[in-house]
Each structure stands twice: as C-alpha cells, then as structure tokens.
Amino acid sequence: MKTKAIALSIISKLNYFRLVYRSLLLIGMLVYYIYTRLNGLVFFDYTKPLTYAVLGFVTLSFIVEMIGRTIPAKTSSMGSQKQFARNYRPSGESEPELQSWKRTLAVFASWVTLNAIFATLYFVHVFDQGIMALVSLFYSVCDMICILFFCPFQTWMMRNRCCGTCRIYNWDFAMMFTPLIFIIVSHDGQGWVVNYFALALVATSWVLLLIWEITYRRHPERFSDKTNLSLRCDSCKEKLCSHKKQLQKYLVKYYRLLKSRLKRNEDKGE
C-alpha cells in the first residue's frame, strides 16, 4: 500500500526558503571575497561604500532574523518557540525530563575544538578575515541542512527525538557566528581596528543565547515533552520528521534503483 505524502507545512516551507536565501548570501559573499582578492582590496574596508552595501546587507539580514527569535510567532519552529510562556501547556507532570548536561557539554566541546582549528589558521595567517566570514555563512547554510535533512548533533550527541525537543535549538546563531569572535578586533599595522559588522552579529547572537539559557534555568518545564504538551508529536504542526522520513525513503529507493541499473550494465558488459 502506497504511503500518502504529507504536504510541506508553512514552517518547513519557510525553512526551505531560508536554506535557499542563506545559500545565495554565501555565494554572493564568495563573489565579493574573490573580487576583493583579485583587486587587492581589503575585505572589511570601511572607506568603501561597497563594504557597507554588501556586508551591511548580510549583517542586517541576520540581525532581523535573530530579533524575530525573541518574539512569539506561529510561523516559527516550536524548537525555538518553546521558551515562551504562551507555548507552555502543562501535562500534569511536575518533573521535566531534560537532556543530559554531559551530552550538551559534548556538543560544546566539539564546537570549541572545530573552531579552535579555524582560529589557529587565522592567527597563523593561513585564513584571513574574509575566509572567517565565509566560514560563518557556510555554518548558516549547514544550520538549515541540520533542520531539514540531517543533524549530527541530534543523531550522534544530543539524541533528542526531534528539533522540537532540542535542548540547544537557539544556540544556532551563537554557533554560526563563532568564527567572527576572532575578527572583532584586529591590528592593521597602524593600530587596533574594531570590526563593527562582526561585533553586531556576535553580540546579538549572544544576547539571544543568554535569553535562552536563563529561560531554560528558570522554566525547565517548558523544555520537556513530559511536562509540556506542546512538544509532543500530536501537537506538532511542522511535520518535519515526516518530511525527513519521506526524503530518506526516496533516497533509499533512488540508491537501490541506481545500484540495480549499474548491476544490469555490468551484466550486459559481461
């Protein structure tokens, strides 16, 4: 019997839009980086209007998105919305089941290790400020891939059921802009220079992270599906798990079909 395909929810459609949009930002920034290198220009040159046009637009785009995370919205994932009181529906249970702090620490440690490598490459002058900005934008694309297709943190470390119950959902922007921490202040040979684009993104993302962590400490019941009915499968409006399963079935089917064709071609060749 054929399984009926589940239509994409509004939230999932918006996530696909973000994936495309962030990919275009990454491509645009890569073009800008290549342009600056070929013409001997400084990537963060505050004397050039082009710097403000390109980098200002990218910075503003993400700041607007981060501010949106601080406001309850029906078109946002419950993964980020569970922090708000309006989305807490008591189940009657008094003790929330929270994800292990050891698993959370494992994510933090792995992220620090990865970015320590990039920081080292930056400080030994293998990477420059432009590359660090590109790494951040690459992270932003990976963030959407984690939500829509596959998340290594969820699968290998946190082991949470879905994004809705994810302990670290709103860590995403702080993680995304981690490489920018190392380029907030730099020395141009004449003096220390503050990178205001990087500062704005890092500061806003850390405010968002701080709000999340304070809420988690004060209202842990909002973050557990044992105590919050809004996080249970029958309350889910995203249907992201269903979409992922459909995609996985399609990929498995395509892989088997491709494997079968290759085998037939080999048999014909014999």
Side-chain angles (χ1 to χ4, degrees):
M1 185 175 177
K2 227 176 183 180
T3 305
K4 186 179 178 181
I6 298 175
L8 284 176
S9 62
I10 294 296
I11 297 172
S12 291
K13 288 178 181 178
L14 287 172
N15 283 331
Y16 275 105
F17 171 78
R18 291 187 186 97
L19 173 62
V20 174
Y21 180 71
R22 291 182 183 184
S23 298
L24 291 175
L25 286 181
L26 174 59
I27 294 169
M29 188 70 86
L30 178 60
V31 170
Y32 174 71
Y33 176 76
I34 294 172
Y35 169 80
T36 58
R37 291 302 300 267
L38 290 178
N39 291 277
L41 303 175
V42 178
F43 189 82
F44 289 98
D45 187 348
Y46 296 105
T47 66
K48 303 293 184 182
L50 184 61
T51 300
Y52 291 93
V54 176
L55 302 180
F57 177 78
V58 174
T59 301
L60 186 61
S61 294
F62 282 108
I63 287 180
V64 168
E65 193 173 346
M66 284 188 279
I67 291 174
R69 284 283 183 87
T70 65
I71 304 169
K74 292 182 178 179
T75 54
S76 294
S77 169
M78 187 53 68
S80 65
Q81 294 287 299
K82 59 177 174 279
Q83 64 177 317
F84 299 114
R86 62 178 280 181
N87 293 321
Y88 175 56
R89 293 167 51 210
S91 66
E93 297 284 346
S94 58
E95 292 295 327
E97 288 183 357
L98 302 175
Q99 290 177 271
S100 167
W101 66 268
K102 293 180 181 179
R103 295 188 183 280
T104 307
L105 182 61
V107 172
F108 178 77
S110 65
W111 194 251
V112 168
T113 301
L114 173 64
N115 286 280
I117 296 172
F118 292 138
T120 301
L121 292 172
Y122 172 70
F123 287 118
V124 299
H125 306 296
V126 175
F127 283 3
D128 57 19
Q129 291 194 355
I131 291 294
M132 297 299 273
L134 287 170
V135 171
S136 277
L137 279 177
F138 177 72
Y139 281 166
S140 77
V141 175
C142 291
D143 176 53
M144 299 315 304
I145 292 173
C146 286
I147 292 173
L148 291 167
F149 307 116
F150 174 76
C151 178
F153 299 115
Q154 175 189 349
T155 305
W156 298 331
M157 297 180 193
M158 297 303 293
R159 305 287 178 85
N160 48 287
R161 188 190 72 238
C162 65
C163 291
T165 58
C166 182
R167 157 73 177 88
I168 61 171
Y169 195 101
N170 267 19
W171 285 23
D172 56 348
F173 285 106
M175 295 172 79
M176 197 183 303
F177 300 127
T178 301
L180 301 185
I181 294 173
F182 308 106
I183 65 173
I184 290 177
V185 179
S186 60
H187 200 280
D188 64 357
Q190 298 180 343
W192 293 100
V193 179
V194 177
N195 186 325
Y196 294 103
F197 297 109
L199 178 61
L201 289 169
V202 171
T204 308
S205 67
W206 276 85
V207 168
L208 190 65
L209 176 63
L210 186 61
I211 293 171
W212 178 265
E213 288 301 311
I214 291 174
T215 307
Y216 181 81
R217 293 292 185 278
R218 295 183 62 186
H219 301 285
E221 69 280 359
R222 299 179 188 176
F223 292 77
S224 170
D225 57 356
K226 182 180 178 182
T227 49
N228 188 357
L229 294 175
S230 294
L231 301 182
R232 297 188 179 181
C233 293
D234 54 4
S235 300
C236 181
K237 295 180 181 178
E238 294 177 66
K239 304 303 178 187
L240 192 56
C241 292
S242 300
H243 301 153
K244 284 182 177 179
K245 288 176 182 176
Q246 288 177 2
L247 179 63
Q248 288 168 3
K249 286 180 180 178
Y250 171 78
L251 291 175
V252 169
K253 184 178 179 181
Y254 178 79
Y255 170 74
R256 288 175 178 171
L257 181 62
L258 181 62
K259 189 176 180 181
S260 175
R261 287 182 177 176
L262 288 173
K263 190 175 185 307
R264 284 201 302 266
N265 290 338
E266 285 178 1
D267 293 340
K268 287 179 181 178
E270 291 176 359

